[in-house]
């Protein structure tokens, strides 16, 4: 099953006898919106969303509180499961997640649902800006779902696992190149990258409209980095959000990948962990 869905395909699916549950996961990495006011995903949702969509709070329901495990560590599974059931998610119900267009937050929801056993989850390609249908402001009250998260083994990396994979397989760094090289670091204690990791900015997964590049192009892109189905592949970013987008891009390309959820925010918090700088992996 394709992990992404176009706006036209979503419109058809919503008219079908088995419409998907819609998750609105609008979120922004910066704490400030272009207006200078703090970004408020729930307010954005209230101002207009795809009919039937339920708002999901990334910081509170798709992650637990920041701490030693990073800025967006794995959520408490009871909290995550309750949020999904509140949204109407059941084990046998298709799900589509969307966000404001960049795709990171929707990919985080996609990854968490897939990791915890949901078989039918997709991301709206291009997010809300790609949607050409009507919007509504009233929040729906869907019937409670029955989804119970059951995490899969092997899809999550910790710091030691990421370090090992950088030596034995392919570990991709999904942040911007200047952060990988250590030229700038606006958030974390120190700049640079995990020794052995390869720079693969998430921005290169999409075209100018924010839609995923064709599967063949993504396959070629990742293949040039050595990331193929024949080797173990892992991804990290700053805090495990944009890296989920890279895992999604790899899925579109047909390459399974694990996610280092703690990512650089966890790795760099420990001064004992090695840090590489510059354009070379080591």
């Amino acid at each position: 099953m394709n992990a992404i869905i176009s706006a036209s395909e979503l419109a058809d699916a919503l008219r079908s006898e088995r419409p998907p549950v819609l998750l609105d996961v609008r979120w922004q990495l910066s704490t400030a919106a272009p207006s200078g006011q703090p970004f408020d995903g729930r307010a954005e949702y209230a101002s207009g969303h795809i009919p039937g969509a339920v708002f999901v709070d990334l910081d509170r329901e798709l992650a637990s509180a920041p701490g030693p495990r990073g800025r967006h560590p794995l959520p408490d599974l009871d909290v995550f499961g309750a949020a999904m059931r509140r949204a109407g998610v059941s084990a046998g119900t298709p799900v589509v997640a969307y966000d404001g267009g960049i795709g990171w937050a929707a990919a985080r929801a996609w990854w968490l649902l897939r990791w915890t056993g949901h078989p039918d989850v997709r991301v709206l390609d291009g997010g809300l800006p790609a949607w050409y249908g009507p919007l509504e402001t009233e929040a729906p009250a869907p019937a409670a779902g029955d989804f119970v998260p059951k995490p899969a083994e092997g899809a999550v990396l910790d710091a030691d696992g990421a370090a090992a994979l950088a030596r034995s397989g392919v570990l991709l760094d999904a942040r911007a190149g200047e952060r990988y090289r250590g030229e700038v670091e606006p958030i974390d204690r120190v700049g640079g990258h995990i020794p052995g990791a390869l720079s693969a900015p998430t921005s290169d997964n999409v075209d100018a409209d924010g839609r995923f590049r064709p599967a063949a192009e993504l396959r070629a892109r990742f293949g040039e980095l050595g990331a193929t189905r024949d080797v173990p592949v892992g991804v990290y970013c700053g805090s495990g959000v944009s890296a989920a987008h890279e895992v999604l891009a790899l899925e579109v390309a047909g390459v399974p990948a694990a996610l280092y959820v703690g990512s650089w925010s966890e790795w760099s918090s420990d001064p004992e962990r090695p840090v590489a700088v510059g354009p070379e992996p080591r």
Side-chain angles (χ1 to χ4, degrees):
M1 183 190 69
N2 198 346
I4 57 176
I5 185 171
S6 69
S8 60
E9 291 171 331
L10 176 58
D12 289 341
L14 290 172
R15 291 191 293 265
S16 72
E17 295 182 358
R18 190 168 171 257
V21 170
L22 286 176
L23 306 179
D24 184 311
V25 201
R26 271 178 276 184
W27 172 86
Q28 194 166 295
L29 177 61
S30 171
T31 57
S35 64
Q37 298 299 313
F39 181 81
D40 187 339
R42 191 177 295 276
E44 294 290 321
Y45 166 83
S47 69
H49 51 268
I50 298 176
V54 175
F55 180 73
V56 176
D57 190 316
L58 185 148
D59 289 317
R60 293 176 174 82
E61 296 172 323
L62 303 184
S64 52
R69 293 181 298 134
R71 282 191 303 280
H72 291 102
L74 288 173
D76 179 282
L77 289 181
D78 288 338
V79 172
F80 172 65
M84 294 300 99
R85 291 189 292 274
R86 172 185 59 82
V89 175
S90 291
T93 305
V95 179
V96 173
Y98 71 89
D99 57 25
I102 196 169
W104 296 358
R108 173 79 174 211
W110 167 85
W111 179 83
L112 279 167
L113 280 165
R114 289 293 303 274
W115 171 59
T116 55
H118 199 290
D120 189 352
V121 190
R122 288 182 283 180
V123 167
L124 175 59
D125 196 14
L128 189 61
W131 177 252
Y132 55 83
L135 300 177
E136 68 178 15
T137 57
E138 183 177 351
D146 63 15
F147 179 69
V148 177
K150 297 178 181 178
E153 295 183 4
V156 178
L157 296 171
D158 59 12
D160 290 341
L165 188 59
R167 296 189 297 268
S168 64
V170 175
L171 182 65
L172 301 179
D173 184 318
R175 297 172 301 158
E178 57 268 26
R179 291 185 70 189
Y180 170 88
R181 296 187 295 271
E183 297 167 357
V184 299
E185 182 43 65
I187 305 173
D188 293 310
R189 185 185 66 84
V190 64
H193 57 270
I194 297 174
L198 302 172
S199 180
T202 301
S203 57
D204 290 344
N205 295 331
V206 298
D207 62 20
D209 294 325
R211 293 177 174 84
F212 280 97
R213 293 162 58 183
E217 289 186 19
L218 290 171
R219 196 173 302 116
R221 180 208 178 195
F222 292 124
E224 290 176 356
L225 295 167
T228 68
R229 293 187 61 87
D230 300 324
V231 298
V233 177
V235 187
Y236 75 94
C237 59
S239 65
V241 178
S242 66
H245 188 274
E246 189 113 301
V247 173
L248 175 57
L250 284 156
E251 178 80 7
V252 172
V255 180
L259 177 65
Y260 174 25
V261 180
S263 286
W264 190 247
S265 59
E266 178 188 37
W267 182 276
S268 64
S269 68
D270 184 348
E272 297 298 317
R273 294 193 184 106
V275 171
V277 296
E280 299 301 321
R282 299 188 184 278

